[in-house]
Amino acid sequence: MKVMVVGGGGREHAIIKKLKENNSITEIFALPGNGGMAKDATIVPIGAKEIDKIVDFAVKNRIDYAVVAPDDPLVLGAVDALEAEGIPCFGPNAKAAIIEGSKVFSKNLMKKYNIPTAEYAVFCDMEAALNYLESAPIPTVIKADGLALGKGVIIAQTREEAKSAVRSMMEDKVFGASGDNIVIEEFLTGPEVSVLAFTDGVSLVPMVSSMDHKRAGDNDTGLNTGGMGTIAPNPYYTKDVADRCMKEIFIPTMEAMNKEGRTFSGCLYFGLMLTEKGPKVIEYNCRFGDPETQVVLPLLETDLLTVMQAVTKGELGSCKVRFKDENACCVIMASKGYPEKYDKGFEITYPEELADSIFVAGAAEKDGKLVTAGGRVLGVTAIGATLEDAIEASYNKVEQIHFDNAFYRKDIGARALKAKENK
Ligand code: AMP
Ligand code: GLY
């Protein structure tokens, strides 16, 4: 069986490694993948947004199953285009991917179906938005409607900051058309939890919960990044919270999408905040999270391809999905300067026995060597019986991986450990 994975980061590497455990797969293609995946997949230099080329490649190479991992191609309709050629896919069609593609859509969906989320207002007119900010509670949160490389959310601590965020989105168009409409929403506080769920629109199976670490610096200081590390399970996500989320958020979201004629099939990502008034949705993603996937999939006991195919066929209900009763920690090693300017091209070295624990995001092959090629270079995952064990083991591995200008947070999982102590 020939499988194709669209995307090129650490998340895709984690998906590919997990898929490889299935012996019926003879070859995996990564489009575009990256040089660090070359041992696990055939790298095909087609960009994740080049939908026509992706479809063409799939048809010519008789691909049996496709996994579309990143938000952009999903929102652009990659799954629709592949399915039109008869290629079964894991991932939502464009109609369903709008749950991530438009914040205005997702906020209105939650309001219509009583799914708990922050209070908000939508604006298509800049003057009206600025006017609203004169009396809005501060801090406030400004969100561009469309996809913005994960940078479209600004938490404004002052009225002036809020106004300048609105101007940069609506007047200067820093996120292009994504800022034509904006959402201004209530600032919520509480621990954050990420929950990825398999769903085919009939059943929904939450995966093990996780915790991202978005800021670049230790103790959650510095700039927001794509994610500097993750742990799973998230200790804040207790059985009670999980039951409540299932009843108040997960199932209602699946049913709301069905009622809207936008049945979601694939991995639905719930970004949650556990507020004093209960769990609320911060954001939906129409895909696996990165770097959440790098801790969640290593804990998956069930064969990934089997689960994905069950989702595609609408048979998830008859598929038992099991997770190991262990803990995982992923530390991201980045290029110094990320998420701003950084240098690339430094050789990456590590002992061969670590290869299984490394998910490569930003690396390329040059003259037979692996060199850095991005801000987030790779993720290092370890599993342990306890969270402490997992954290210690992943940092042990990190110390054996070298490249010039490497930097990583030293405190991945520290907040989760504290939460455990306080229980
Ligand atoms: P996103 O880019 O949508 O993942 O949002 C980035 C981060 O902004 C989230 O992980 C939260 O930490 C924060 N955030 C988003 N919306 C809110 C909100 N309404 N209140 C407080 N923090 C928020
Ligand atoms: N880790 C957050 C995301 O994938 O958007």
Side-chain angles (χ1 to χ4, degrees):
M1 185 172 179
K2 289 206 246 178
V3 176
M4 167 177 108
V5 176
V6 176
R11 162 185 58 204
E12 287 75 11
H13 200 183
I15 291 171
I16 288 167
K17 282 195 160 143
K18 197 74 198 172
L19 285 173
K20 272 184 68 179
E21 292 174 10
N22 184 307
N23 291 330
S24 68
I25 298 179
T26 49
E27 188 161 15
I28 303 186
F29 298 91
L31 286 66
N34 71 63
M37 300 176 187
K39 287 198 186 85
D40 298 307
T42 306
I43 307 302
V44 181
I46 293 176
K49 289 198 266 185
E50 299 182 291
I51 310 292
D52 292 347
K53 288 187 186 168
I54 291 169
V55 174
D56 197 45
F57 175 86
V59 171
K60 284 199 179 121
N61 291 278
R62 298 173 187 275
I63 295 297
D64 298 298
Y65 193 68
V67 179
V68 182
D71 46 359
D72 283 306
L74 290 167
V75 171
L76 289 170
V79 166
D80 309 63
L82 287 162
E83 283 180 348
E85 294 296 336
I87 295 160
C89 295
F90 183 84
N93 59 19
K95 252 180 126 176
I98 194 175
I99 198 164
E100 174 169 6
S102 168
K103 294 232 187 314
V104 173
F105 171 86
S106 66
K107 293 299 290 190
N108 290 344
L109 183 86
M110 289 185 266
K111 188 173 186 182
K112 182 169 171 187
Y113 293 95
N114 279 319
I115 297 165
T117 188
E119 294 295 328
Y120 72 103
V122 173
F123 297 94
C124 58
D125 176 71
M126 187 174 77
E127 289 311 318
L130 294 173
N131 203 19
Y132 173 85
L133 284 173
E134 291 293 346
S135 56
I138 296 293
T140 189
V141 184
I142 321 280
K143 300 186 172 182
D145 176 39
L147 297 179
L149 297 168
K151 293 180 186 147
V153 175
I154 290 172
I155 298 179
Q157 301 294 343
T158 66
R159 231 168 270 289
E160 269 325 300
E161 216 182 303
K163 286 183 187 171
S164 89
V166 166
R167 286 200 190 90
S168 70
M169 287 181 195
M170 300 190 88
E171 194 167 56
D172 306 337
K173 299 279 176 204
V174 290
F175 303 122
S178 286
D180 288 350
N181 298 300
I182 62 162
V183 173
I184 300 184
E185 71 175 32
E186 175 196 8
F187 175 74
L188 300 175
T189 53
E192 283 187 59
V193 182
S194 306
V195 179
L196 321 183
F198 291 109
T199 177
D200 57 5
V202 184
S203 314
L204 182 140
V205 180
M207 301 179 220
V208 61
S209 63
S210 55
M211 182 192 285
D212 197 359
H213 296 69
K214 281 199 183 328
R215 299 297 197 93
D218 286 356
N219 301 315
D220 298 315
T221 54
L223 294 171
N224 253 318
T225 70
M228 293 300 294
T230 38
I231 58 99
N234 184 326
Y236 288 105
Y237 194 71
T238 58
K239 170 90 174 61
D240 283 353
V241 175
D243 289 346
R244 208 169 153 184
C245 287
M246 193 69 175
K247 210 165 81 206
E248 296 174 14
I249 295 174
F250 303 163
I251 297 295
T253 300
M254 181 184 84
E255 288 175 348
M257 291 298 276
N258 288 341
K259 287 193 188 121
E260 294 294 307
R262 297 175 182 275
T263 292
F264 189 100
S265 166
C267 172
L268 185 52
Y269 170 123
F270 299 89
L272 306 168
M273 195 169 267
L274 309 183
T275 75
E276 274 178 0
K277 292 187 189 148
K280 295 195 180 188
V281 177
I282 288 281
E283 62 164 344
Y284 291 118
N285 292 328
C286 64
R287 51 172 175 84
F288 283 98
D290 190 344
E292 284 88 343
T293 304
Q294 291 90 308
V295 285
V296 169
L297 288 188
L299 291 174
L300 177 66
E301 217 166 55
T302 315
D303 173 59
L304 179 60
L305 180 69
T306 306
V307 184
M308 285 182 157
Q309 287 181 313
V311 169
T312 305
K313 290 184 197 145
E315 295 170 359
L316 178 61
S318 57
C319 183
K320 285 255 174 303
V321 185
R322 285 201 190 82
F323 283 86
K324 296 184 180 124
D325 188 18
E326 289 181 287
N327 292 260
C329 173
C330 172
V331 178
I332 299 292
M333 296 182 75
S335 302
K336 197 170 143 228
Y338 173 76
E340 296 186 299
K341 269 208 183 115
Y342 51 84
D343 293 327
K344 322 186 236 199
F346 302 111
E347 186 180 358
I348 305 167
T349 57
Y350 55 81
E352 191 47 42
E353 67 268 21
L354 288 194
D356 281 350
S357 321
I358 297 177
F359 303 115
V360 184
E365 254 186 325
K366 201 177 158 206
D367 307 328
K369 289 176 180 162
L370 193 62
V371 300
T372 63
R376 287 192 295 176
V377 175
L378 51 85
V380 188
T381 295
I383 291 180
T386 65
L387 181 58
E388 288 91 333
D389 292 346
I391 294 170
E392 197 185 320
S394 60
Y395 277 106
N396 272 335
K397 294 179 186 181
V398 165
E399 278 161 25
Q400 302 173 60
I401 301 169
H402 300 286
F403 53 90
D404 283 349
N405 280 16
F407 102 90
Y408 54 90
R409 276 181 62 162
K410 310 284 189 298
D411 67 338
I412 301 302
R415 196 159 20 106
L417 278 180
K418 268 211 189 98
K420 276 196 155 167
E421 280 163 18
N422 293 338
K423 256 201 244 162

